Amino acid sequence: MRTLSIAFLAATSLILPSVASGQGYGRGGMGQYGPPAPKLPGVELVGPLDTALARAMLKLTADQSTRYRQAYESFMVATQPDRDSANAAITKMNEKLEDGDRAAAMFYVERIQDLGKTLRNRQDRFEGDLRRFLNGDQVKAYKKWREGEDDAAERKQRENQLRWDEAGFRGNMGGPRATAPEIKTAIPIPTAVAAPMLGSPAVQVGRALYVAGQLGVDSTGALVGSDLRAQAERAFVNLGVVLQAAGATLRDVNALTIYVVNYRPADLETIRNAGAAYFRANGPIATVVGVQSLSKDGALISIGATATSPR
C-alpha cells in the first residue's frame, strides 16, 4: 500500500503540475500544499517530570521527594482541565486533517495554542519554584530533562508537517478521502535510560507506541541491585522515561509484557508493588512470562509495553 501511495503521488506530480508544483513553496516557507504546520504545544501537554521519575533521575532525598510529590500533584490537578481540553482539540484537529480539511483543522489550532501558552506559563512557574528545595546539581539535571523534552517536541513538529502536507494534497485533489500510510518513527534514547543492546527503545506508528523491554539498570547500563524488587522498580521508572520521551504517560499504556527470570507465583506481589501506579483502576492488561535468562547477565526482569499516544 505504501509503494502504491508513493507511485500515485509521483504520477500526479507529472500530470498535474499546477497542483504539485504551482502550490509548493518548499520547506523554508510554505509547505508543499499550503502553509507550514502550525506550532503546537509540546511538553506542557504532558506536564513536568512525574514524581517517580524525579525521585530516580534527580536523586531526591526523602524530604525532597515529599515536597516534590505535593507540588507535582497540586500542579497536575490544577492544570488537568486545560490539558484535557487541549488534547481533545488536537484529536478534533487531526480528524479534520485526515479528511483533507486544513481550514477546519485551523479552527482548532488557535484554541490549542492558547491553552498551550497558559500551560507553559504555569509549568515554567512550577519549575522555577523547584529551586526552593532542589540543589544546583538537581536543577541542572531537571533542565537537561526539559531540554530533551523540548527537542522531542521539535522533532514532533517536523513530523506534523507531513500530516499537514498530506491534508493539503487531499484537499487540492478532492474526491474520496485518501488513506495516508502510517509512518514508523523511532523514539530517540532518553538521557536517563541506557541504550538498548539492539534496536530502538521505542517506535511509534500512527498513534500506536511500542516500548522495548526495560531492564532494572541505570543510565550507564549497570544493574541497580541484585534483587527483583530493586530491579523491578527501576525497570518501571525506565519505562516511564521512555513513555514520556514519546509524549505519553502510564495512563496511555494498554498492555505490559513482563519477563521474569526463574519466575515464581510469589513474584507477582513484588511486581505489583514495584509498579503500583500501573495497576490502579483502569490499568493495562499484563502478561507475565517466566524465562531462564535475559539479555544482560544478572538481570531479573524486563518490562515492555504498548500504548496509545495522545498526540
Side-chain angles (χ1 to χ4, degrees):
M1 181 62 71
R2 179 180 177 86
T3 302
L4 290 174
S5 298
I6 293 173
F8 176 70
L9 288 171
T12 53
S13 69
L14 292 175
I15 64 175
L16 296 173
S18 61
V19 173
S21 302
Q23 300 201 27
Y25 294 89
R27 289 285 190 259
M30 304 288 280
Q32 187 176 3
Y33 298 102
K39 187 172 179 60
L40 298 180
V43 65
E44 56 268 33
L45 290 182
V46 178
L49 190 63
D50 71 36
T51 303
L53 301 183
R55 185 169 55 246
M57 294 176 62
L58 308 182
K59 297 180 173 59
L60 301 180
T61 65
D63 178 64
Q64 287 175 322
S65 293
T66 299
R67 296 183 66 179
Y68 190 98
R69 185 185 69 253
Q70 292 171 343
Y72 175 80
E73 291 178 352
S74 176
F75 173 88
M76 294 299 282
V77 169
T79 58
Q80 188 69 54
D82 283 346
R83 285 183 285 112
D84 287 346
S85 295
N87 282 315
I90 288 174
T91 298
K92 291 291 187 181
M93 180 195 73
N94 287 336
E95 289 174 356
K96 298 302 181 183
L97 287 176
E98 289 172 2
D99 289 333
D101 193 344
R102 288 174 59 130
M106 284 299 298
F107 173 82
Y108 295 98
V109 168
E110 184 174 356
R111 173 66 172 160
I112 296 166
Q113 291 174 334
D114 286 344
L115 288 166
K117 182 178 180 181
T118 298
L119 288 167
R120 178 169 283 266
N121 288 339
R122 297 188 69 168
Q123 185 161 329
D124 287 345
R125 290 198 298 272
F126 167 88
E127 292 170 349
D129 289 342
L130 295 180
R131 296 177 180 274
R132 296 178 181 177
F133 59 90
L134 298 184
N135 62 40
D137 288 340
Q138 290 169 327
V139 170
K140 289 179 181 177
Y142 190 100
K143 284 184 175 180
K144 185 176 182 181
W145 168 82
R146 176 62 186 265
E147 289 169 358
E149 294 301 301
D150 288 338
D151 288 344
E154 288 297 323
R155 289 191 294 271
K156 188 71 175 179
Q157 178 70 18
R158 292 193 289 272
E159 294 169 17
N160 285 340
Q161 182 64 61
L162 177 60
R163 178 177 293 175
W164 281 79
D165 283 349
E166 289 170 345
F169 173 78
R170 290 197 292 270
N172 286 331
M173 291 296 295
R177 171 181 164 182
T179 300
E182 292 185 328
I183 300 173
K184 181 186 74 175
T185 303
I187 305 302
I189 301 169
T191 56
V193 175
M197 295 181 179
L198 291 172
S200 301
V203 295
Q204 186 166 348
V205 183
R207 292 185 60 199
L209 179 66
Y210 306 91
V211 182
Q214 298 299 306
L215 302 176
V217 298
D218 62 21
S219 60
T220 67
L223 290 168
V224 297
S226 58
D227 65 290
L228 179 62
R229 176 59 185 264
Q231 290 191 22
E233 287 179 346
R234 183 63 191 219
F236 276 114
V237 166
N238 291 344
L239 176 60
V241 171
V242 177
L243 287 169
Q244 199 159 28
T249 70
L250 62 85
R251 295 187 299 275
D252 303 310
V253 175
N254 302 317
L256 294 170
T257 303
I258 304 171
Y259 296 94
V260 183
V261 174
N262 299 325
Y263 170 76
R264 300 172 301 166
D267 293 336
L268 277 180
E269 187 64 21
T270 300
I271 296 169
R272 184 180 295 110
N273 291 335
Y278 290 84
F279 302 118
R280 295 172 183 166
N282 199 32
I285 61 173
T287 301
V288 180
V289 181
V291 296
Q292 290 184 337
S293 63
L294 293 169
S295 58
K296 184 176 182 63
D297 288 342
L300 300 176
I301 189 168
S302 170
I303 305 173
T306 60
T308 302
S309 175
R311 52 193 171 96

